[in-house]
C-alpha cells in the first residue's frame, strides 16, 4: 500500500530525495517483492539525472532470476522509453537475453520492450521477427505479440500476393496448431486481416474458427463469430461452410453471440434462406440491446440490396420493428435503411414511403419526423399516386410541434410544385396554415403561396419554383448564420446578397493564440466575434491599394508552412484566389528576442509557373520579436483558367540588434536573407468544397446538358482507398453522403463529390473505381456543371494529374 501511495502521489522536488533514498535501499532488499515494487515506483517518480545513477541496478534486474523483479524492470523500461529513450536503448543486450527467459510474463514484457526500442527501424523489426519465428518463443502471451509484429512486417513489406510471395505466412499458419487457444485465435485473426488474402490462405483460419463456434467457452464462441462476421464482408463464400454451426448459435444464451451469428448468416446466406432467417431474427429482437439491433438492421439492409426480389419481406420486417420501442439511434438506423432501399430498389418506393408515413404518425423524435418529411417531399411526387400522401403530411401540420409543422408545410409546397392536379388542394391547406400560432409556419405558408401563385398570380416560372424548392443550398448553414448576424449588427442600405456568404466548408481561423511550446502562427491579431474568414481576408486585401482592383475574392487556402518547426523565422503562406489574380500572403514571425527585422519582403521565383506574372507586392516595415506580421506578393494569371505551377521563395530583410536591457534597436542594420520552402498552386485551389444535402436530387436538377463522361487508368495502386483519396485531393471537392470511405478489401467503389469552381460554377462529380487482381485501378469520371467549359476542365485536371 505504501508503494502504491507513493506512485500515485508523485512527491514534489523537495520531498523526492527522501523517498528515492528509501526506494534505492529497497532495490537491494532480500525480499523480491520489495525489490520489484521499489523499481516500479522509482522509475515512475524519478528524473533523467537519477536514472543514470540507478541504471546499473535496472540492467541487473532485467536479467534477475526472479521473474517478478525482471518483469518490474522491463515494464519500467517500457514507461521510461517515452521520457528517456537514449538510456533505455542501452539496455538492448539485457532485454535480448530476457526474451529467452523461461518465465512467460518476462518473455512477454521483454519482447514488447525490444520491439518498442526497434520500432522506428523497419529492417531491425524484420530481423527480430525472423529470428523469433524459428521457435524460441514459448510464452503464449509473447507468441500473440509476435503474431501481431509478424502481421505488421507482412503489411509493410509490400509483398506480391499474386506470386504467392508472402513471407512469414507459414509461421502464422503453424500457430493455428498451437496448444494455447489465445495463440490459435490470434493467428486466425491475423490471417483473415491480411491484405489481398486468397481463399486458399483463408481456409485453415476459417476451419479453426469453425471449431471455436462449438466451444463450451462463451469467449471463444464470441471471438470466432465476431471474426467471421468481419470476414463475411469481403469473403462471404469462404464463410458459408460455417453456416450450420452459426445457425445453432442463434439460440445461444449470450445474446451478443446470437446477434453476431444472425448478422453473419444474413451476409453469407442465399436467397432461399432469407425467409427462414427472418423468422429466427424476430424471436430474439426484443431480447437484445439497441446497439446489437442496429447491427441486425444494417445486415438486413445489405441483404436486401443483395437480393432485391426479397424487398417485401425485408421491408415489412423493418416496418414492424420501427413501431416497437427503441432509442433514437436505433430508429434512425431503420429509417436510414428504408430510405436507402427506396432509392436503390425502384419497386420498393411505394411501400417504403407508406411505411415511413405510418411511422411518422407515432414518431417521438422531431429530427426523424422532419427528415422523413423532407425525403417524402422529394420522392412522393414521383410515385404513381402522390395524392395518398397528402393526408399523412397535413396531419403533421395539425398534430405536431412547430418544427415538424414547418417542415410539413415545405413538403406540401413540393407536392404542389410537381403535381398540377394537386395545386388547388395544396393552396387550401397552405391558406389554413396562415392562421398557425407559430411565426415560422405562417412565414413558410405565405412564402410558398406566393411562390406557387396561390394568390392568383404566378410569381415565378415553373423552373424557378422547382429550383427554389428542390435545389440544394450550396452554402454551409453556419456561414449563412454568421453573415446574417453581421448584416444585422452592421445595418446597410444595400440588400443582403447571398453571394456574399463564404462557401468554404471548414473555416480556417485567421489567428490562433500562441500556446506554450508551439511555433507562432504569424497570422496577426486574433479576431473578435464570429466574422467569417473569407470576409476578413476580403476586407484585408481590399484595404491594400495595390490589390483593391482585383475584384471579389473567390477562395483563400489554409496556411502552408514554408519553414521547419523551431527555426529562427517562422513563415507560412496563404493563397488568395481571384478571377484573374493570385495573391500570396506570407505570415511571418521573428522568434529571436535580440533581433528586429525591417523592410521584410519575399522574393518569389515563378520560373516554374510560366502562366503567372508578378504585378505587385507589399513589404512589411518592421517585424519585432514575437509579433506576427504579413507581407504580400500578387501575380496575374489567365482569367478563369486553372493555372498551376511551383514558386520558390526567399525571405529578405534588414537585421538590427536589440539591447535586451533597454529593448532599443541599433541604428544600423545588416541586409540578410533566409531560404524558404517551395510551394505550389494546384488545380484544387480553384475549387471550393461545398456539400449538397441530397446528391441525387442535385444531380438530376443539374441536367445532362453539360455532362462529360470518360474513363481513365490510374495504374497500380496499394489499395482502392488510396486511389479515391488521391482523386479527391486532386480535385479539391467535398465528398458527399460518406462516399469517401472505402470498405476494406473492396474491389469496386463509387464516390460522389460536390463543389463550386472559380467563377461560382456549381460542379457535381460521380466517380466509379475498380481494382483488379494485379492492383491496377480503373476509374470512370462523370461530371455535370452549369458550364460546359468547366466540365471539360475537370477532365483536363484528372487527365493531367
Amino acid at each position: 500500500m505504501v508503494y502504491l501511495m507513493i506512485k500515485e502521489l508523485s512527491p514534489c522536488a523537495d520531498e523526492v530525495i527522501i523517498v528515492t533514498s528509501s526506494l534505492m535501499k529497497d532495490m537491494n532488499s532480500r525480499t523480491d517483492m520489495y525489490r520489484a515494487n521499489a523499481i516500479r515506483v522509482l522509475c515512475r517518480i524519478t528524473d533523467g539525472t537519477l536514472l543514470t545513477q540507478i541504471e546499473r541496478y535496472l540492467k541487473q534486474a532485467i536479467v534477475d532470476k526472479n521473474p517478478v523483479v525482471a518483469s518490474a524492470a522491463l515494464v519500467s523500461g517500457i514507461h521510461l522509453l517515452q521520457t528517456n529513450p537514449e538510456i533505455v536503448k542501452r539496455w538492448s543486450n539485457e532485454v535480448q537475453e530476457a526474451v529467452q527467459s523461461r518465465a512467460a510474463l518476462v518473455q512477454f514484457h521483454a519482447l514488447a520492450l525490444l520491439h518498442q526500442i526497434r520500432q522506428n527501424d523497419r529492417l531491425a523489426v524484420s530481423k527480430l521477427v525472423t529470428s523469433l519465428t524459428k521457435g524460441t518463443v514459448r510464452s503464449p502471451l509473447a507468441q500473440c505479440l509476435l503474431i501481431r509484429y509478424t502481421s505488421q512486417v507482412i503489411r509493410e513489406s509490400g509483398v506480391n500476393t499474386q506470386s504467392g510471395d508472402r513471407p512469414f505466412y507459414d509461421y502464422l499458419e503453424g500457430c493455428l496448431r498451437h496448444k494455447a487457444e489465445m495463440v490459435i485465435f490470434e493467428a486466425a485473426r491475423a490471417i483473415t486481416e491480411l491484405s489481398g488474402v486468397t481463399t486458399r490462405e483463408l481456409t485453415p483460419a476459417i476451419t479453426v474458427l469453425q471449431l471455436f463456434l462449438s466451444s463450451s467457452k462463451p469467449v471463444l464462441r464470441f471471438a470466432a463469430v465476431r471474426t467471421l462476421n468481419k470476414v463475411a464482408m469481403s469473403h462471404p463464400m469462404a464463410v458459408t461452410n460455417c453456416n450450420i454451426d452459426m445457425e445453432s448459435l442463434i439460440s445461444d444464451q449470450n445474446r451478443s453471440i446470437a446477434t453476431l451469428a444472425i448478422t453473419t448468416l444474413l451476409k453469407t446466406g442465399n436467397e432461399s434462406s432469407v425467409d427462414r432467417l427472418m423468422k429466427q431474427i424476430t424471436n430474439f429482437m426484443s431480447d437484445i440491446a439497441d446497439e446489437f439491433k442496429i447491427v441486425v438492421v444494417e445486415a438486413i439492409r445489405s441483404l436486401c440490396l443483395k437480393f432485391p426480389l426479397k424487398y417485401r419481406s425485408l421491408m415489412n420486417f423493418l416496418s414492424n420493428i420501427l413501431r416497437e420501442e427503441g432509442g433514437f439511434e436505433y430508429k434512425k438506423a431503420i429509417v436510414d435503411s428504408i430510405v436507402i432501399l427506396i432509392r436503390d430498389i425502384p419497386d420498393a418506393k411505394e411501400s417504403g414511403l407508406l411505411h415511413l408515413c405510418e411511422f411518422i404518425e407515432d414518431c417521438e423524435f422531431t429530427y426523424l419526423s422532419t427528415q422523413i418529411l423532407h425525403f417524402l417531399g422529394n420522392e412522393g411526387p414521383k410515385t404513381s399516386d402522390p395524392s395518398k400522401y397528402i393526408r399523412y403530411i397535413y396531419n403533421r401540420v395539425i398534430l405536431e410541434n412547430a418544427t415538424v409543422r414547418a417542415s410539413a408545410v415545405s413538403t406540401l409546397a413540393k407536392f404542389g410544385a410537381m403535381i398540377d392536379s394537386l395545386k388547388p388542394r395544396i393552396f387550401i391547406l397552405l391558406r389554413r396554415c396562415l392562421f398557425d400560432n407559430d411565426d415560422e409556419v405562417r412565414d413558410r405558408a405565405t412564402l410558398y403561396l406566393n411562390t406557387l401563385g396561390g394568390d392568383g398570380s404566378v410569381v415565378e416560372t415553373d423552373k424557378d419554383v422547382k429550383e427554389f424548392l428542390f435545389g440544394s443550398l450550396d452554402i454551409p448553414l453556419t456561414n449563412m448564420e454568421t453573415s446574417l448576424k453581421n448584416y444585422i449588427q452592421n445595418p446597410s442600405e444595400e440588400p443582403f446578397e447571398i453571394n456574399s456568404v463564404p462557401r468554404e466548408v471548414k473555416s480556417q481561423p485567421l489567428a490562433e493564440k500562441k500556446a506554450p511550446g508551439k511555433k507562432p502562427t504569424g497570422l496577426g491579431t486574433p479576431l473578435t466575434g464570429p466574422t467569417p474568414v473569407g470576409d476578413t481576408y476580403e476586407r484585408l486585401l481590399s484595404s491594400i491599394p495595390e490589390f483593391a482592383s482585383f475584384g471579389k475574392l473567390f477562395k483563400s487556402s489554409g496556411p502552408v508552412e514554408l519553414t521547419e518547426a523551431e527555426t529562427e523565422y517562422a513563415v507560412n503562406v496563404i493563397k488568395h484566389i481571384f478571377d484573374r489574380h493570385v495573391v500570396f500572403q506570407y505570415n511571418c514571425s521573428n522568434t529571436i528576442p535580440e533581433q528586429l527585422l525591417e523592410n521584410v519582403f519575399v522574393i518569389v521565383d515563378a520560373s516554374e509557373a510560366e502562366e503567372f506574372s508578378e504585378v505587385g507586392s507589399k513589404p512589411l516595415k518592421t517585424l519585432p520579436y514575437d509579433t506576427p506580421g504579413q507581407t504580400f506578393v500578387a501575380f496575374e494569371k489567365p482569367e478563369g483558367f486553372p493555372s498551376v505551377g511551383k514558386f520558390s521563395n526567399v525571405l529578405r530583410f534588414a537585421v538590427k540588434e536589440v539591447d535586451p536591457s533597454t529593448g532599443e534597436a541599433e541604428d544600423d542594420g545588416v541586409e540578410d536573407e533566409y531560404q524558404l520552402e517551395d510551394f505550389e498552386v494546384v488545380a484544387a485551389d480553384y475549387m471550393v468544397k461545398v456539400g449538397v444535402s441530397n446528391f441525387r436530387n442535385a444531380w438530376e436538377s443539374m441536367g445532362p446538358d453539360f455532362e462529360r463522361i470518360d474513363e481513365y487508368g490510374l495504374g497500380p495502386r496499394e489499395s482502392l482507398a488510396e486511389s479515391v483519396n488521391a482523386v479527391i485531393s486532386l480535385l479539391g471537392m467535398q465528398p458527399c453522403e460518406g462516399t469517401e470511405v472505402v470498405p476494406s478489401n473492396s474491389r469496386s467503389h463509387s464516390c460522389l463529390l460536390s463543389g463550386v469552381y472559380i467563377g461560382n460554377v456549381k460542379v457535381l462529380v460521380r466517380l466509379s473505381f475498380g481494382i483488379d487482381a494485379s492492383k491496377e485501378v480503373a476509374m470512370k469520371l462523370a461530371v455535370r456543371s452549369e458550364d460546359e467549359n468547366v466540365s471539360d476542365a475537370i477532365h483536363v485536371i484528372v487527365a493531367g494529374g
Side-chain angles (χ1 to χ4, degrees):
M1 290 298 295
V2 171
Y3 290 119
L4 289 174
M5 287 178 62
I6 294 172
K7 190 167 71 169
E8 294 303 319
L9 291 175
S10 294
C12 65
D14 296 334
E15 304 162 340
V16 75
I17 185 64
I18 302 171
V19 177
T20 52
S21 297
S22 301
L23 290 172
M24 288 176 71
K25 290 180 179 177
D26 285 356
M27 284 179 65
N28 297 304
S29 171
R30 294 181 179 180
T31 305
D32 290 330
M33 189 60 69
Y34 290 173
R35 292 170 58 206
N37 282 327
I39 290 171
R40 289 176 182 271
V41 178
L42 196 57
C43 291
R44 176 71 174 265
I45 67 174
T46 190
D47 57 13
T49 306
L50 182 61
L51 187 61
T52 56
Q53 299 177 25
I54 63 171
E55 181 184 4
R56 178 169 60 88
Y57 296 102
L58 293 174
K59 291 172 75 173
Q60 290 175 351
I62 289 173
V63 293
D64 196 276
K65 293 180 180 179
N66 189 293
V68 176
V69 176
S71 277
L74 290 165
V75 172
S76 298
I78 293 172
H79 294 308
L80 289 171
L81 196 63
Q82 310 302 319
T83 55
N84 297 275
E86 296 304 320
I87 293 177
V88 178
K89 287 178 181 178
R90 296 201 293 258
W91 307 348
S92 292
N93 291 337
E94 286 76 14
V95 177
Q96 184 78 54
E97 185 178 341
V99 170
Q100 310 302 322
S101 171
R102 291 184 174 276
L105 212 55
V106 173
Q107 194 172 55
F108 169 65
H109 288 141
L111 179 56
L113 178 55
L114 192 60
H115 178 265
Q116 285 201 23
I117 291 173
R118 300 184 181 183
Q119 63 181 347
N120 294 324
D121 186 343
R122 186 181 295 182
L123 181 59
V125 172
S126 180
K127 288 182 177 178
L128 172 66
V129 170
T130 302
S131 63
L132 294 179
T133 51
K134 295 177 180 178
T136 56
V137 177
R138 302 177 186 86
S139 163
L141 286 169
Q143 193 95 346
C144 290
L145 269 187
L146 184 56
I147 289 170
R148 295 184 182 183
Y149 300 153
T150 303
S151 299
Q152 177 189 342
V153 171
I154 293 175
R155 283 195 302 272
E156 294 176 350
S157 60
V159 295
N160 184 358
T161 57
Q162 289 304 112
S163 63
D165 179 19
R166 196 188 291 278
F168 307 117
Y169 173 79
D170 291 341
Y171 167 72
L172 294 180
E173 189 175 1
C175 289
L176 296 174
R177 297 181 287 275
H178 198 275
K179 60 183 179 181
E181 291 167 336
M182 72 168 75
V183 176
I184 297 172
F185 171 72
E186 192 69 37
R189 188 172 67 88
I191 290 173
T192 61
E193 292 178 354
L194 288 176
S195 175
V197 64
T198 64
T199 304
R200 185 188 64 80
E201 292 170 333
L202 268 178
T203 301
I206 299 295
T207 302
V208 166
L209 293 172
Q210 185 176 4
L211 293 174
F212 281 0
L213 292 176
S214 55
S215 171
S216 59
K217 299 177 181 178
V219 68
L220 285 180
R221 298 199 302 275
F222 177 81
V225 75
R226 185 176 64 172
T227 305
L228 290 171
N229 189 282
K230 291 180 180 179
V231 176
M233 296 175 67
S234 53
H235 297 84
M237 297 307 296
V239 184
T240 51
N241 291 337
C242 306
N243 282 5
I244 296 176
D245 298 274
M246 281 189 286
E247 284 191 27
S248 64
L249 293 180
I250 295 175
S251 57
D252 196 283
Q253 291 181 346
N254 187 310
R255 306 318 283 166
S256 302
I257 296 174
T259 305
L260 287 168
I262 197 70
T263 52
T264 308
L265 286 168
L266 289 172
K267 295 173 184 176
T268 60
N270 52 41
E271 194 166 4
S272 61
S273 65
V274 170
D275 294 329
R276 177 167 51 85
L277 289 173
M278 298 310 297
K279 290 179 182 178
Q280 292 174 304
I281 293 173
T282 307
N283 295 332
F284 76 91
M285 280 295 283
S286 58
D287 299 334
I288 59 177
D290 278 5
E291 57 183 310
F292 293 115
K293 290 179 181 177
I294 293 172
V295 175
V296 174
V297 169
E298 291 173 348
I300 289 173
R301 180 178 68 203
S302 301
L303 186 69
C304 194
L305 294 174
K306 184 179 179 182
F307 303 120
L309 295 178
K310 289 291 183 181
Y311 79 88
R312 291 187 186 278
S313 60
L314 296 174
M315 189 74 82
N316 287 334
F317 174 82
L318 292 174
S319 176
N320 290 335
I321 62 175
L322 192 56
R323 296 190 186 92
E324 297 174 357
E325 290 189 6
F328 171 76
E329 293 296 337
Y330 172 47
K331 292 299 179 73
K332 183 177 182 296
I334 301 172
V335 171
D336 289 345
S337 297
I338 293 176
V339 166
I340 290 172
L341 298 182
I342 291 172
R343 287 178 177 170
D344 292 356
I345 305 175
D347 293 340
K349 179 176 289 187
E350 300 275 353
S351 60
L353 288 175
L354 281 175
H355 288 316
L356 291 177
C357 287
E358 291 167 359
F359 164 66
I360 204 175
E361 293 189 326
D362 300 315
C363 181
E364 57 186 298
F365 303 108
T366 297
Y367 173 83
L368 288 181
S369 296
T370 56
Q371 292 301 304
I372 291 172
L373 285 167
H374 175 73
F375 180 71
L376 185 61
N378 291 332
E379 298 295 331
K382 303 173 187 176
T383 58
S384 58
D385 185 12
S387 61
K388 62 186 175 185
Y389 304 108
I390 300 300
R391 173 175 63 86
Y392 295 101
I393 300 168
Y394 188 65
N395 281 346
R396 309 281 58 78
V397 178
I398 301 172
L399 303 172
E400 291 286 358
N401 59 50
T403 303
V404 178
R405 295 204 304 273
S407 184
V409 168
S410 299
T411 303
L412 285 173
K414 290 182 178 181
F415 275 78
M418 294 293 289
I419 313 295
D420 290 336
S421 61
L422 291 177
K423 267 191 178 182
R425 185 179 173 188
I426 298 296
F427 289 153
I428 294 172
L429 298 178
L430 289 178
R431 287 193 184 100
R432 291 178 185 173
C433 298
L434 296 175
F435 302 98
D436 196 276
N437 59 7
D438 182 74
D439 291 343
E440 176 75 11
V441 177
R442 293 197 305 272
D443 289 349
R444 287 198 188 195
T446 304
L447 172 64
Y448 294 135
L449 277 170
N450 290 330
T451 304
L452 295 171
D455 57 355
S457 61
V458 179
V459 180
E460 308 283 356
T461 64
D462 284 347
K463 182 178 179 182
D464 290 335
V465 170
K466 290 175 182 177
E467 173 65 25
F468 174 68
L469 288 171
F470 294 95
S472 59
L473 183 67
D474 59 356
I475 297 171
L477 291 178
T478 52
N479 293 6
M480 173 75 85
E481 180 184 6
T482 304
S483 295
L484 286 170
K485 285 180 179 178
N486 290 336
Y487 182 76
I488 293 169
Q489 292 168 0
N490 304 290
S492 171
E493 296 181 0
E494 297 293 326
F496 178 80
E497 285 288 341
I498 198 168
N499 290 331
S500 66
V501 181
R503 285 174 161 77
E504 289 285 358
V505 175
K506 291 184 179 179
S507 297
Q508 293 281 353
L510 183 63
E512 297 175 359
K513 292 182 179 180
K514 185 183 175 186
K518 288 188 177 180
K519 182 171 63 174
T521 59
L523 296 174
T525 307
L527 295 175
T528 58
T531 307
V533 174
D535 289 351
T536 307
Y537 284 145
E538 189 158 17
R539 285 199 295 271
L540 172 65
L541 294 170
S542 61
S543 67
I544 301 173
E546 292 89 341
F547 313 140
S549 62
F550 287 178
K552 184 170 179 59
L553 176 65
F554 172 69
K555 176 183 178 181
S556 296
S557 73
V560 178
E561 297 297 335
L562 302 182
T563 55
E564 297 291 338
E566 308 302 330
T567 54
E568 55 265 52
Y569 309 115
V571 182
N572 63 46
V573 64
I574 295 173
K575 297 171 279 188
H576 301 294
I577 309 296
F578 295 83
D579 194 39
R580 295 192 58 185
H581 297 85
V582 176
V583 176
F584 301 138
Q585 174 184 331
Y586 294 90
N587 303 307
C588 310
S589 288
N590 170 20
T591 63
I592 304 177
E594 297 82 12
Q595 285 187 359
L596 171 68
L597 307 186
E598 291 187 346
N599 193 26
V600 181
F601 60 97
V602 177
I603 298 175
V604 184
D605 179 5
S607 58
E608 296 185 59
E610 298 177 353
E611 293 175 337
F612 294 83
S613 56
E614 186 172 338
V615 293
S617 63
K618 185 178 186 303
L620 178 62
K621 291 183 179 179
T622 61
L623 187 63
Y625 165 68
D626 203 23
T627 303
Q630 299 90 29
T631 176
F632 301 84
V633 181
F635 284 82
E636 188 175 19
K637 67 176 185 64
E639 183 175 0
F641 189 77
S643 305
V644 297
K646 181 185 287 187
F647 297 83
S648 302
N649 312 272
V650 176
L651 185 69
R652 187 165 290 181
F653 46 83
V655 182
K656 290 186 176 181
E657 296 295 328
V658 176
D659 187 340
S661 58
T662 62
E664 295 183 358
E666 296 179 354
D667 294 333
D668 298 329
V670 179
E671 295 291 331
D672 198 0
E673 61 182 37
Y674 189 81
Q675 183 67 47
L676 304 176
E677 298 288 340
D678 298 346
F679 70 90
E680 293 182 280
V681 172
V682 295
D685 290 323
Y686 298 93
M687 183 74 72
V688 174
K689 293 182 177 181
V690 176
V692 293
S693 56
N694 187 320
F695 188 90
R696 182 178 179 180
N697 284 346
W699 181 268
E700 291 175 355
S701 63
M702 186 80 72
D705 295 343
F706 301 134
E707 182 177 31
R708 299 291 184 269
I709 302 175
D710 206 346
E711 295 181 355
Y712 300 90
L714 303 185
R717 298 276 179 166
E718 281 297 318
S719 65
L720 213 54
E722 180 199 342
S723 305
V724 173
N725 292 333
V727 176
I728 292 174
S729 177
L730 175 66
L731 295 176
M733 300 179 72
Q734 176 68 25
C736 302
E737 301 176 5
T739 54
E740 73 276 17
V741 180
V742 182
S744 58
N745 296 323
S746 179
R747 312 300 294 180
S748 62
H749 185 70
S750 296
C751 185
L752 311 175
L753 306 178
S754 171
V756 174
Y757 192 71
I758 188 167
N760 288 324
V761 181
K762 296 179 184 177
V763 185
L764 298 174
V765 167
R766 275 182 165 169
L767 300 168
S768 299
F769 296 86
I771 186 169
D772 62 16
S774 60
K775 293 198 173 183
E776 290 281 340
V777 177
M779 179 185 74
K780 182 179 180 181
L781 168 65
V783 183
R784 286 188 180 183
S785 74
E786 299 171 330
D787 186 330
E788 59 182 332
N789 293 324
V790 173
S791 297
D792 292 333
I794 299 299
H795 279 278
V796 171
I797 292 170
V798 172

